[in-house]
mmCIF file of all heavy atoms in Angstrom:
data_model
loop_
_atom_site.group_PDB
_atom_site.id
_atom_site.type_symbol
_atom_site.label_atom_id
_atom_site.label_comp_id
_atom_site.label_asym_id
_atom_site.label_seq_id
_atom_site.Cartn_x
_atom_site.Cartn_y
_atom_site.Cartn_z
ATOM 1 N N ASN B 1 68.435 -36.287 96.716
ATOM 2 C CA ASN B 1 67.458 -36.946 95.839
ATOM 3 C C ASN B 1 68.195 -37.597 94.673
ATOM 4 O O ASN B 1 69.205 -37.075 94.174
ATOM 5 C CB ASN B 1 66.450 -35.928 95.320
ATOM 6 C CG ASN B 1 65.541 -35.427 96.423
ATOM 7 O OD1 ASN B 1 65.380 -36.079 97.454
ATOM 8 N ND2 ASN B 1 64.956 -34.268 96.229
ATOM 9 N N THR B 2 67.665 -38.721 94.231
ATOM 10 C CA THR B 2 68.344 -39.489 93.197
ATOM 11 C C THR B 2 67.471 -39.664 91.955
ATOM 12 O O THR B 2 66.239 -39.645 92.028
ATOM 13 C CB THR B 2 68.723 -40.884 93.720
ATOM 14 O OG1 THR B 2 67.546 -41.515 94.243
ATOM 15 C CG2 THR B 2 69.756 -40.796 94.820
ATOM 16 N N ARG B 3 68.150 -39.825 90.834
ATOM 17 C CA ARG B 3 67.494 -40.128 89.562
ATOM 18 C C ARG B 3 68.314 -41.209 88.888
ATOM 19 O O ARG B 3 69.550 -41.212 89.010
ATOM 20 C CB ARG B 3 67.436 -38.876 88.679
ATOM 21 C CG ARG B 3 66.707 -37.713 89.305
ATOM 22 C CD ARG B 3 66.912 -36.436 88.511
ATOM 23 N NE ARG B 3 66.311 -35.290 89.179
ATOM 24 C CZ ARG B 3 66.553 -34.021 88.852
ATOM 25 N NH1 ARG B 3 67.376 -33.745 87.858
ATOM 26 N NH2 ARG B 3 65.967 -33.033 89.501
ATOM 27 N N TYR B 4 67.647 -42.096 88.156
ATOM 28 C CA TYR B 4 68.329 -43.237 87.552
ATOM 29 C C TYR B 4 68.027 -43.337 86.072
ATOM 30 O O TYR B 4 66.939 -42.988 85.614
ATOM 31 C CB TYR B 4 67.892 -44.533 88.249
ATOM 32 C CG TYR B 4 68.198 -44.534 89.726
ATOM 33 C CD1 TYR B 4 67.237 -44.159 90.653
ATOM 34 C CD2 TYR B 4 69.475 -44.870 90.179
ATOM 35 C CE1 TYR B 4 67.529 -44.132 92.004
ATOM 36 C CE2 TYR B 4 69.762 -44.857 91.535
ATOM 37 C CZ TYR B 4 68.788 -44.484 92.436
ATOM 38 O OH TYR B 4 69.088 -44.454 93.778
ATOM 39 N N GLY B 5 69.018 -43.877 85.356
ATOM 40 C CA GLY B 5 68.799 -44.168 83.957
ATOM 41 C C GLY B 5 67.872 -45.360 83.809
ATOM 42 O O GLY B 5 67.830 -46.242 84.670
ATOM 43 N N SER B 6 67.158 -45.403 82.706
ATOM 44 C CA SER B 6 66.159 -46.454 82.500
ATOM 45 C C SER B 6 66.730 -47.875 82.609
ATOM 46 O O SER B 6 66.072 -48.750 83.188
ATOM 47 C CB SER B 6 65.493 -46.273 81.138
ATOM 48 O OG SER B 6 64.789 -45.061 81.088
ATOM 49 N N PRO B 7 67.914 -48.155 82.084
ATOM 50 C CA PRO B 7 68.410 -49.535 82.133
ATOM 51 C C PRO B 7 68.656 -50.067 83.548
ATOM 52 O O PRO B 7 68.720 -51.279 83.744
ATOM 53 C CB PRO B 7 69.725 -49.462 81.355
ATOM 54 C CG PRO B 7 69.592 -48.272 80.478
ATOM 55 C CD PRO B 7 68.801 -47.301 81.290
ATOM 56 N N VAL B 8 68.807 -49.168 84.523
ATOM 57 C CA VAL B 8 69.156 -49.632 85.866
ATOM 58 C C VAL B 8 68.067 -49.354 86.879
ATOM 59 O O VAL B 8 68.171 -49.787 88.034
ATOM 60 C CB VAL B 8 70.474 -48.981 86.339
ATOM 61 C CG1 VAL B 8 71.567 -49.192 85.308
ATOM 62 C CG2 VAL B 8 70.309 -47.505 86.645
ATOM 63 N N LYS B 9 67.019 -48.673 86.465
ATOM 64 C CA LYS B 9 65.963 -48.297 87.398
ATOM 65 C C LYS B 9 65.350 -49.555 88.025
ATOM 66 O O LYS B 9 65.027 -50.515 87.317
ATOM 67 C CB LYS B 9 64.901 -47.483 86.672
ATOM 68 C CG LYS B 9 64.070 -46.601 87.570
ATOM 69 C CD LYS B 9 63.181 -45.677 86.741
ATOM 70 C CE LYS B 9 63.976 -44.644 86.001
ATOM 71 N NZ LYS B 9 63.125 -43.676 85.281
ATOM 72 N N GLY B 10 65.215 -49.550 89.325
ATOM 73 C CA GLY B 10 64.672 -50.696 90.040
ATOM 74 C C GLY B 10 65.708 -51.715 90.458
ATOM 75 O O GLY B 10 65.419 -52.598 91.273
ATOM 76 N N ARG B 11 66.913 -51.612 89.911
ATOM 77 C CA ARG B 11 67.984 -52.560 90.272
ATOM 78 C C ARG B 11 69.135 -51.882 91.000
ATOM 79 O O ARG B 11 69.781 -52.488 91.849
ATOM 80 C CB ARG B 11 68.517 -53.245 89.010
ATOM 81 C CG ARG B 11 67.492 -54.040 88.242
ATOM 82 C CD ARG B 11 68.143 -54.835 87.114
ATOM 83 N NE ARG B 11 68.774 -53.963 86.128
ATOM 84 C CZ ARG B 11 70.067 -54.031 85.792
ATOM 85 N NH1 ARG B 11 70.855 -54.924 86.359
ATOM 86 N NH2 ARG B 11 70.566 -53.217 84.880
ATOM 87 N N PHE B 12 69.404 -50.639 90.643
ATOM 88 C CA PHE B 12 70.525 -49.911 91.250
ATOM 89 C C PHE B 12 69.973 -48.848 92.197
ATOM 90 O O PHE B 12 68.937 -48.228 91.931
ATOM 91 C CB PHE B 12 71.359 -49.209 90.183
ATOM 92 C CG PHE B 12 72.160 -50.120 89.298
ATOM 93 C CD1 PHE B 12 71.979 -51.489 89.284
ATOM 94 C CD2 PHE B 12 73.142 -49.575 88.464
ATOM 95 C CE1 PHE B 12 72.722 -52.314 88.465
ATOM 96 C CE2 PHE B 12 73.899 -50.384 87.635
ATOM 97 C CZ PHE B 12 73.670 -51.754 87.639
ATOM 98 N N THR B 13 70.687 -48.638 93.284
ATOM 99 C CA THR B 13 70.326 -47.607 94.249
ATOM 100 C C THR B 13 71.581 -46.831 94.632
ATOM 101 O O THR B 13 72.614 -47.432 94.944
ATOM 102 C CB THR B 13 69.722 -48.227 95.511
ATOM 103 O OG1 THR B 13 68.581 -49.015 95.166
ATOM 104 C CG2 THR B 13 69.284 -47.136 96.486
ATOM 105 N N SER B 14 71.476 -45.516 94.614
ATOM 106 C CA SER B 14 72.619 -44.705 94.998
ATOM 107 C C SER B 14 72.272 -43.877 96.223
ATOM 108 O O SER B 14 71.127 -43.460 96.402
ATOM 109 C CB SER B 14 73.029 -43.787 93.848
ATOM 110 O OG SER B 14 74.271 -43.181 94.129
ATOM 111 N N SER B 15 73.263 -43.663 97.059
ATOM 112 C CA SER B 15 73.076 -42.856 98.255
ATOM 113 C C SER B 15 74.377 -42.127 98.553
ATOM 114 O O SER B 15 75.425 -42.471 98.013
ATOM 115 C CB SER B 15 72.683 -43.741 99.441
ATOM 116 O OG SER B 15 73.692 -44.697 99.700
ATOM 117 N N ARG B 16 74.273 -41.131 99.395
ATOM 118 C CA ARG B 16 75.480 -40.382 99.749
ATOM 119 C C ARG B 16 75.559 -40.218 101.255
ATOM 120 O O ARG B 16 74.546 -40.112 101.941
ATOM 121 C CB ARG B 16 75.511 -39.024 99.047
ATOM 122 C CG ARG B 16 74.388 -38.071 99.413
ATOM 123 C CD ARG B 16 74.376 -36.861 98.467
ATOM 124 N NE ARG B 16 75.571 -36.044 98.598
ATOM 125 C CZ ARG B 16 75.960 -35.136 97.693
ATOM 126 N NH1 ARG B 16 75.237 -34.945 96.607
ATOM 127 N NH2 ARG B 16 77.045 -34.424 97.883
ATOM 128 N N ASP B 17 76.797 -40.190 101.740
ATOM 129 C CA ASP B 17 77.074 -39.940 103.144
ATOM 130 C C ASP B 17 77.945 -38.700 103.197
ATOM 131 O O ASP B 17 79.163 -38.773 102.968
ATOM 132 C CB ASP B 17 77.771 -41.151 103.767
ATOM 133 C CG ASP B 17 77.978 -40.999 105.263
ATOM 134 O OD1 ASP B 17 77.935 -39.856 105.766
ATOM 135 O OD2 ASP B 17 78.201 -42.023 105.931
ATOM 136 N N ASN B 18 77.330 -37.567 103.473
ATOM 137 C CA ASN B 18 78.075 -36.314 103.442
ATOM 138 C C ASN B 18 79.138 -36.245 104.536
ATOM 139 O O ASN B 18 80.129 -35.530 104.395
ATOM 140 C CB ASN B 18 77.124 -35.127 103.563
ATOM 141 C CG ASN B 18 76.271 -34.948 102.312
ATOM 142 O OD1 ASN B 18 76.631 -35.411 101.235
ATOM 143 N ND2 ASN B 18 75.128 -34.287 102.464
ATOM 144 N N SER B 19 78.952 -37.007 105.617
ATOM 145 C CA SER B 19 79.948 -37.003 106.687
ATOM 146 C C SER B 19 81.234 -37.711 106.265
ATOM 147 O O SER B 19 82.291 -37.499 106.863
ATOM 148 C CB SER B 19 79.378 -37.663 107.939
ATOM 149 O OG SER B 19 79.203 -39.056 107.735
ATOM 150 N N LYS B 20 81.138 -38.545 105.216
ATOM 151 C CA LYS B 20 82.306 -39.283 104.729
ATOM 152 C C LYS B 20 82.720 -38.851 103.328
ATOM 153 O O LYS B 20 83.585 -39.488 102.722
ATOM 154 C CB LYS B 20 82.002 -40.786 104.727
ATOM 155 C CG LYS B 20 81.749 -41.364 106.104
ATOM 156 C CD LYS B 20 81.483 -42.853 106.037
ATOM 157 C CE LYS B 20 81.244 -43.434 107.424
ATOM 158 N NZ LYS B 20 80.970 -44.892 107.372
ATOM 159 N N ASN B 21 82.089 -37.802 102.794
ATOM 160 C CA ASN B 21 82.386 -37.351 101.422
ATOM 161 C C ASN B 21 82.270 -38.504 100.431
ATOM 162 O O ASN B 21 83.051 -38.585 99.474
ATOM 163 C CB ASN B 21 83.790 -36.739 101.341
ATOM 164 C CG ASN B 21 83.846 -35.330 101.879
ATOM 165 O OD1 ASN B 21 83.011 -34.936 102.692
ATOM 166 N ND2 ASN B 21 84.814 -34.557 101.438
ATOM 167 N N THR B 22 81.307 -39.360 100.636
ATOM 168 C CA THR B 22 81.217 -40.594 99.860
ATOM 169 C C THR B 22 79.825 -40.770 99.262
ATOM 170 O O THR B 22 78.814 -40.472 99.917
ATOM 171 C CB THR B 22 81.545 -41.804 100.747
ATOM 172 O OG1 THR B 22 82.870 -41.655 101.272
ATOM 173 C CG2 THR B 22 81.484 -43.099 99.950
ATOM 174 N N VAL B 23 79.808 -41.264 98.037
ATOM 175 C CA VAL B 23 78.576 -41.677 97.392
ATOM 176 C C VAL B 23 78.714 -43.152 97.038
ATOM 177 O O VAL B 23 79.814 -43.622 96.718
ATOM 178 C CB VAL B 23 78.268 -40.817 96.146
ATOM 179 C CG1 VAL B 23 79.337 -40.968 95.084
ATOM 180 C CG2 VAL B 23 76.898 -41.122 95.584
ATOM 181 N N TYR B 24 77.601 -43.877 97.138
ATOM 182 C CA TYR B 24 77.596 -45.311 96.905
ATOM 183 C C TYR B 24 76.676 -45.655 95.741
ATOM 184 O O TYR B 24 75.714 -44.948 95.462
ATOM 185 C CB TYR B 24 77.117 -46.055 98.155
ATOM 186 C CG TYR B 24 77.910 -45.743 99.394
ATOM 187 C CD1 TYR B 24 77.453 -44.789 100.306
ATOM 188 C CD2 TYR B 24 79.110 -46.386 99.654
ATOM 189 C CE1 TYR B 24 78.177 -44.497 101.450
ATOM 190 C CE2 TYR B 24 79.836 -46.089 100.804
ATOM 191 C CZ TYR B 24 79.369 -45.142 101.689
ATOM 192 O OH TYR B 24 80.094 -44.850 102.814
ATOM 193 N N LEU B 25 76.981 -46.767 95.101
ATOM 194 C CA LEU B 25 76.097 -47.311 94.083
ATOM 195 C C LEU B 25 75.907 -48.787 94.391
ATOM 196 O O LEU B 25 76.819 -49.580 94.188
ATOM 197 C CB LEU B 25 76.661 -47.119 92.680
ATOM 198 C CG LEU B 25 75.742 -47.565 91.548
ATOM 199 C CD1 LEU B 25 74.500 -46.678 91.479
ATOM 200 C CD2 LEU B 25 76.480 -47.545 90.204
ATOM 201 N N GLN B 26 74.731 -49.123 94.897
ATOM 202 C CA GLN B 26 74.387 -50.516 95.164
ATOM 203 C C GLN B 26 73.757 -51.090 93.910
ATOM 204 O O GLN B 26 72.727 -50.593 93.445
ATOM 205 C CB GLN B 26 73.415 -50.605 96.339
ATOM 206 C CG GLN B 26 72.934 -52.006 96.636
ATOM 207 C CD GLN B 26 74.034 -52.918 97.138
ATOM 208 O OE1 GLN B 26 74.804 -52.534 98.017
ATOM 209 N NE2 GLN B 26 74.128 -54.112 96.591
ATOM 210 N N MET B 27 74.373 -52.135 93.378
ATOM 211 C CA MET B 27 73.917 -52.724 92.125
ATOM 212 C C MET B 27 73.425 -54.142 92.401
ATOM 213 O O MET B 27 74.210 -54.992 92.843
ATOM 214 C CB MET B 27 75.053 -52.734 91.106
ATOM 215 C CG MET B 27 75.657 -51.353 90.869
ATOM 216 S SD MET B 27 76.937 -51.338 89.590
ATOM 217 C CE MET B 27 78.193 -52.331 90.398
ATOM 218 N N ASN B 28 72.166 -54.381 92.154
ATOM 219 C CA ASN B 28 71.563 -55.686 92.366
ATOM 220 C C ASN B 28 71.086 -56.272 91.040
ATOM 221 O O ASN B 28 70.934 -55.547 90.055
ATOM 222 C CB ASN B 28 70.389 -55.577 93.337
ATOM 223 C CG ASN B 28 70.789 -55.077 94.698
ATOM 224 O OD1 ASN B 28 71.889 -55.362 95.185
ATOM 225 N ND2 ASN B 28 69.915 -54.321 95.344
ATOM 226 N N SER B 29 70.837 -57.557 91.045
ATOM 227 C CA SER B 29 70.349 -58.254 89.841
ATOM 228 C C SER B 29 71.197 -57.918 88.630
ATOM 229 O O SER B 29 70.673 -57.603 87.552
ATOM 230 C CB SER B 29 68.876 -57.894 89.587
ATOM 231 O OG SER B 29 68.080 -58.235 90.700
ATOM 232 N N LEU B 30 72.498 -57.987 88.807
ATOM 233 C CA LEU B 30 73.410 -57.615 87.735
ATOM 234 C C LEU B 30 73.317 -58.579 86.568
ATOM 235 O O LEU B 30 73.138 -59.796 86.750
ATOM 236 C CB LEU B 30 74.838 -57.554 88.264
ATOM 237 C CG LEU B 30 75.149 -56.300 89.098
ATOM 238 C CD1 LEU B 30 76.411 -56.505 89.938
ATOM 239 C CD2 LEU B 30 75.295 -55.084 88.191
ATOM 240 N N GLN B 31 73.441 -58.022 85.379
ATOM 241 C CA GLN B 31 73.373 -58.790 84.146
ATOM 242 C C GLN B 31 74.628 -58.540 83.325
ATOM 243 O O GLN B 31 75.315 -57.527 83.517
ATOM 244 C CB GLN B 31 72.116 -58.405 83.360
ATOM 245 C CG GLN B 31 70.815 -58.641 84.107
ATOM 246 C CD GLN B 31 70.642 -60.107 84.510
ATOM 247 O OE1 GLN B 31 70.923 -61.020 83.729
ATOM 248 N NE2 GLN B 31 70.181 -60.323 85.734
ATOM 249 N N PRO B 32 74.944 -59.434 82.389
ATOM 250 C CA PRO B 32 76.152 -59.229 81.569
ATOM 251 C C PRO B 32 76.186 -57.862 80.884
ATOM 252 O O PRO B 32 77.273 -57.300 80.706
ATOM 253 C CB PRO B 32 76.070 -60.375 80.556
ATOM 254 C CG PRO B 32 75.346 -61.461 81.288
ATOM 255 C CD PRO B 32 74.321 -60.748 82.127
ATOM 256 N N GLU B 33 75.043 -57.330 80.526
ATOM 257 C CA GLU B 33 75.029 -56.027 79.864
ATOM 258 C C GLU B 33 75.379 -54.877 80.801
ATOM 259 O O GLU B 33 75.549 -53.734 80.357
ATOM 260 C CB GLU B 33 73.670 -55.755 79.210
ATOM 261 C CG GLU B 33 72.483 -55.936 80.125
ATOM 262 C CD GLU B 33 71.880 -57.320 80.027
ATOM 263 O OE1 GLU B 33 72.632 -58.301 79.800
ATOM 264 O OE2 GLU B 33 70.644 -57.430 80.186
ATOM 265 N N ASP B 34 75.489 -55.160 82.097
ATOM 266 C CA ASP B 34 75.952 -54.147 83.047
ATOM 267 C C ASP B 34 77.480 -54.069 83.097
ATOM 268 O O ASP B 34 78.028 -53.189 83.769
ATOM 269 C CB ASP B 34 75.422 -54.451 84.453
ATOM 270 C CG ASP B 34 73.908 -54.356 84.547
ATOM 271 O OD1 ASP B 34 73.348 -53.377 84.016
ATOM 272 O OD2 ASP B 34 73.299 -55.272 85.138
ATOM 273 N N THR B 35 78.136 -54.978 82.406
ATOM 274 C CA THR B 35 79.591 -54.954 82.363
ATOM 275 C C THR B 35 80.076 -53.653 81.744
ATOM 276 O O THR B 35 79.658 -53.288 80.642
ATOM 277 C CB THR B 35 80.126 -56.150 81.555
ATOM 278 O OG1 THR B 35 79.779 -57.357 82.238
ATOM 279 C CG2 THR B 35 81.630 -56.064 81.395
ATOM 280 N N ALA B 36 80.935 -52.960 82.453
ATOM 281 C CA ALA B 36 81.414 -51.653 81.994
ATOM 282 C C ALA B 36 82.447 -51.131 82.988
ATOM 283 O O ALA B 36 82.616 -51.683 84.085
ATOM 284 C CB ALA B 36 80.265 -50.660 81.883
ATOM 285 N N VAL B 37 83.096 -50.060 82.594
ATOM 286 C CA VAL B 37 83.871 -49.273 83.555
ATOM 287 C C VAL B 37 82.916 -48.234 84.132
ATOM 288 O O VAL B 37 82.261 -47.497 83.386
ATOM 289 C CB VAL B 37 85.078 -48.591 82.899
ATOM 290 C CG1 VAL B 37 85.822 -47.730 83.929
ATOM 291 C CG2 VAL B 37 86.016 -49.634 82.294
ATOM 292 N N TYR B 38 82.833 -48.189 85.438
ATOM 293 C CA TYR B 38 81.932 -47.271 86.119
ATOM 294 C C TYR B 38 82.738 -46.079 86.641
ATOM 295 O O TYR B 38 83.767 -46.263 87.305
ATOM 296 C CB TYR B 38 81.214 -47.974 87.264
ATOM 297 C CG TYR B 38 80.094 -48.854 86.769
ATOM 298 C CD1 TYR B 38 80.363 -50.051 86.116
ATOM 299 C CD2 TYR B 38 78.763 -48.477 86.920
ATOM 300 C CE1 TYR B 38 79.343 -50.851 85.627
ATOM 301 C CE2 TYR B 38 77.730 -49.273 86.443
ATOM 302 C CZ TYR B 38 78.040 -50.456 85.793
ATOM 303 O OH TYR B 38 77.013 -51.246 85.307
#
């Protein structure tokens, strides 16, 4: 289950693949204020 911060809710989606030990962050409708080190 996922939870999101208010600034990214509705634009970012995260998921995990336990078979690959991997989590993803799909970021859509990116804006300049999303510029950061993640």
